[in-house]
Each structure stands twice: as C-alpha cells, then as structure tokens.
Amino acid sequence: MSIEALIGKFQEASEHPHRLLTSYKEQGKKVIGVLPYYAPEELVYAAGMIPMTIWGSNKKTISLAKEYCATFYCTIAQLALEMLLDGTLDQLDGIITPTICDTLRPMSQNFRVAMSEKLPCIFLAHPQYRRPAFGLQFTMDQYNHIKKELEKISGAPITDEAIREAIKVFNRSRAARREFSKLAGQHPEAISAVARSAVFRSSWFMVKDEHTKLLEELNEELKKLPASDWKGAKIVTSGIICDNPKLLQIFDDNKIAIVADDVAQESRMTRVDAAETGDPMMALAQQFADQDYEVLLYDEHSEQNRRGEYVASLVKDNGGQGLVLFMQQFCDPEEMEYPYLKKALDAANIPHIKLGVDQQMRDFGQASTAIQAFADVL
C-alpha cells in the first residue's frame, strides 16, 4: 500500500472515531472509554474489550457539560463530559476516569454522577510517590480494582497470561510509534504535520493490532525513501495535546516540519514499555513508576529542572531549530512549569513560542501570525 493510502486510513480513523465505535459494537465487541491519561489500557485489552481514549473533540461546543463543571476547566475534560451527556458515546460499555490532574480529580466525580444511570465509571487514582515500594503497591491496588470492575463488565476473569499478551501487543504498538516519530522527522516531505498527528491520534481509537500492522507497513515505506532535502524549518512540539488539523495546517503552509515531540497525546505516551515476563500487574505498576519528565507527575529531583533540560535536549538531539509549546488553556501544571521550561530553553539558546490552545478554537488568525513570525526567525 502506498504512503498516501496508509495515511488516508489513519486520517479516517482520526477524524471519525465514532464510526469505529459503531463498527466495534456491530461486531459484538464491548468498548471501554478511557479518559487521559496513564490508564492501564492493557487490562481492557486483556479482558477481550477495546479501549478508546477520550481526548475531547475539536468539532463540538460545550453546552450540557456547563451544568456540571466550572467554565475554567480545560476543554478536554469538558468536551469529554459533553460527549457522554449528548449521546455521542452512548455505545460505550464503561469508562475509566484517571485523576492525574486537579481538573480530572473533581471531574471524575462529575462523570460518575452524570453517568450513574448510563454506564459504569471506574475510578483510578495515581500515586505521586510512584517509585517507592508503597507507591508501587498503591498503583497495583488501583489496577487490581480496575481489573475487578472490568471483569464485571466483560463477564469473564482476566488471566495473568492474557495481561502478558496484552502487554506484548501494546509494547509493539509503542515501538512502532517511536519508530514512526523518528522516520517522520527524517521525511517531512512525505509526512506533513497534519498527517503526523493523525497517525498518533488514530492509535487511541483503533484496535492496537490493526493500528500497529498499518503503522509498521508505513514505517517500511518511509525507510525506502531517499534522504530528504527539506528546505523549510524544523521544530519540536510540546504540550498536552495539539490535534486540530486546521491549526497544524498552518505549519504545513509555512513549510515547518515537526521532527519530534513532547506531546502527551503523541510520543510522551510511548516512552516506557512494560516488562513482558513476571507478575504482569507489577509490570504495569512499574511501567507507570518509570514514567519521567512529565509535567503532571511528581519529580523528586525537581530542583534540577530535569524536565526542562530533557525538552531542550529533545530539540537539539533531533535537529530542531526551535520549540512550539501548545499550552492548554486553564492547565495550571503547564502554566506553573513554563518559567522553568523557558529557563532551560534560553540556557540552551533554543528559540520558542507559546501558543494558548483549547478545543473550542475556531479562529486561528493569531496563531497563524505567531507561527509565521516564528518561522521567519528560525
């Protein structure tokens, strides 16, 4: 299959996840919605069900959700609730609600109240002290709770062997996405910013096996291409999410290639694999404990500005000329981190711009002007 045809399949899944959901249900499969992020989707897969991560929506307006939450909550959480309330996600068989930030923590209870008569809501609390033995035990206890709730929905026990097999499937998916990120950065003439986003975004909606198979095929096609002679700018992106095609099209229109990213919805979630042998629940808990350089997770070495230095190194190591920070509106962790991130970027002589984004953006004039001006100075 050609690169264009493969990209078309990823874009279809990225733009129309509801079609996938309907298809899965018509096949008699059960589907679990997963709020962002760091949820053990492997357990859903091991239960014979399909995890679909809910990252809000670029196409909806907030109406019904206003009855449940403050207007200063980030639009990812508000629009997730909106889709649950307006019937968009009625075909789900349950949802997992992590509490990884100060917005998702109270929102998890709003989900539970709003959906109490519609579908099961499985609560997930992550420990901030995740690396010590007590932190690992806490994570395992939480994951075992999720396992029991998923067994109620699926109607069958989840075996250790099924979890190990799921871990292998997800590790393979992460490996394929890591390789794609590298290859896409090497071939911006073939993978636009819009296409790159679609590949990552579709991974949250498609069955992992199918997505990985297509992505490995795409990776092989990219390897066949001759060395790129890219004349435009090269940048790295950072943030929670930047999946709006209209916003990303501005990069393509200005010949700006995304050579790597520190985006939660994209590469940040592919950094750490889980062990494929031993106790699978401990493997999943250890995988979460090993997550690092994450704005939403406690860093016991925070005085060293490790995350800022990591992001700066990411730009340098991938040949980036600058960084674009997509700062989610009303995201306190990102706003509080920015001075430290800016300090590390300035120390490394890396130019950057900060773009405030949310999923209710309809006018991209200001963003276009900022991106064009940034391209001129790179």
Side-chain angles (χ1 to χ4, degrees):
M1 197 180 303
S2 68
I3 290 176
E4 292 75 16
L6 289 164
I7 290 296
K9 287 185 174 292
F10 291 123
Q11 289 181 321
E12 167 67 20
S14 175
E15 287 297 302
H16 304 287
H18 60 285
R19 295 178 185 174
L20 287 174
L21 176 57
T22 299
S23 174
Y24 297 148
K25 296 302 295 182
E26 289 175 347
Q27 296 171 40
K29 298 177 180 177
K30 292 184 177 181
V31 183
I32 303 297
V34 184
L35 276 293
Y37 48 95
Y38 292 127
E41 295 187 19
E42 289 89 339
L43 295 179
V44 179
Y45 186 96
M49 300 185 289
I50 297 173
M52 291 189 75
T53 303
I54 306 171
W55 289 92
S57 170
N58 291 308
K59 298 180 179 179
K60 287 185 171 289
T61 57
I62 299 169
S63 176
L64 300 174
K66 291 180 180 178
E67 299 179 17
Y68 289 84
C69 53
T71 56
F72 54 79
Y73 281 8
C74 81
T75 53
I76 298 174
Q78 290 196 61
L79 285 162
L81 180 56
E82 185 73 25
M83 289 189 290
L84 289 165
L85 291 168
D86 71 8
T88 301
L89 301 176
D90 275 356
Q91 296 181 89
L92 292 178
D93 296 281
I95 58 172
I96 298 176
T97 62
T99 58
I100 199 70
C101 70
D102 287 342
T103 293
L104 287 175
R105 192 168 295 112
M107 278 296 286
S108 66
Q109 302 309 306
N110 289 331
F111 290 126
R112 180 174 294 177
V113 171
M115 295 292 104
S116 60
E117 298 181 2
K118 280 191 173 184
L119 77 170
C121 298
I122 306 173
F123 182 84
L124 168 59
H126 287 103
Q128 286 297 328
Y129 285 94
R130 60 197 182 281
R131 292 190 173 99
F134 59 83
L136 288 168
Q137 185 60 55
F138 184 92
T139 302
M140 284 187 65
D141 291 345
Q142 288 290 305
Y143 287 4
N144 276 310
H145 164 69
I146 292 173
K147 177 174 175 284
K148 290 177 182 178
E149 294 301 311
L150 290 173
E151 288 173 335
K152 293 178 184 178
I153 298 171
S154 69
I158 302 173
T159 65
D160 284 356
E161 188 55 37
I163 300 173
R164 291 190 190 97
E165 288 303 312
I167 288 173
K168 292 177 182 178
V169 168
F170 277 70
N171 281 349
R172 182 177 172 184
S173 170
R174 282 185 283 265
R177 283 179 280 168
R178 287 193 296 265
E179 184 174 34
F180 168 74
S181 179
K182 180 180 178 180
L183 290 168
Q186 294 172 351
H187 296 285
E189 79 290 350
I191 303 295
S192 66
V194 173
R196 185 182 186 278
S197 172
V199 170
F200 280 109
R201 189 171 189 267
S202 59
S203 71
W204 300 107
F205 310 136
M206 297 175 68
V207 175
K208 280 292 183 289
D209 312 67
E210 180 182 348
H211 187 273
T212 302
K213 182 179 179 181
L214 287 173
L215 186 51
E216 289 175 341
E217 186 176 349
L218 176 58
N219 288 343
E220 289 304 312
E221 292 301 316
L222 291 174
K223 291 176 184 177
K224 298 176 184 177
L225 295 176
S228 175
D229 185 25
W230 182 252
K231 301 298 184 183
K234 296 181 178 181
I235 58 101
V236 171
T237 54
S238 182
I240 301 294
I241 189 172
C242 52
D243 66 343
N244 193 307
K246 292 182 179 179
L247 177 58
L248 292 169
Q249 186 62 49
I250 299 171
F251 290 85
D252 293 332
D253 292 343
N254 287 276
K255 299 286 288 182
I256 301 174
I258 299 175
V259 295
D261 75 84
D262 166 54
V263 175
Q265 193 202 32
E266 297 178 359
S267 295
R268 197 183 296 176
M269 299 301 295
T270 70
R271 293 175 186 165
V272 182
D273 290 333
E276 297 179 1
T277 57
D279 182 346
M281 298 300 286
M282 174 56 79
L284 292 174
Q286 188 65 56
Q287 178 199 28
F288 173 67
D290 290 341
Q291 301 290 347
D292 209 349
Y293 311 116
E294 164 63 71
V295 65
L296 296 182
L297 298 180
Y298 173 69
D299 183 0
E300 61 269 34
H301 306 292
S302 58
E303 73 281 355
Q304 300 176 23
N305 199 11
R306 294 170 67 247
R307 179 173 145 71
E309 293 169 358
Y310 167 81
V311 174
S313 296
L314 192 66
V315 179
K316 295 280 191 181
D317 294 345
N318 287 278
Q321 298 165 270
L323 180 126
V324 176
L325 173 63
F326 294 98
M327 183 171 289
Q328 186 71 25
Q329 301 281 25
F330 303 116
C331 182
D332 290 344
E334 285 201 312
E335 291 176 357
M336 293 175 65
E337 182 214 30
Y338 176 66
Y340 300 97
L341 183 59
K342 181 180 184 301
K343 181 179 179 181
L345 293 170
D346 289 345
N349 295 314
I350 297 173
H352 76 281
I353 57 170
K354 174 167 63 83
L355 297 178
V357 297
D358 66 41
Q359 293 181 313
Q360 293 286 276
M361 288 180 71
R362 299 293 182 267
D363 184 352
F364 299 93
Q366 278 189 319
S368 179
T369 300
I371 292 169
Q372 289 176 24
F374 189 53
D376 290 340
V377 302
L378 292 179

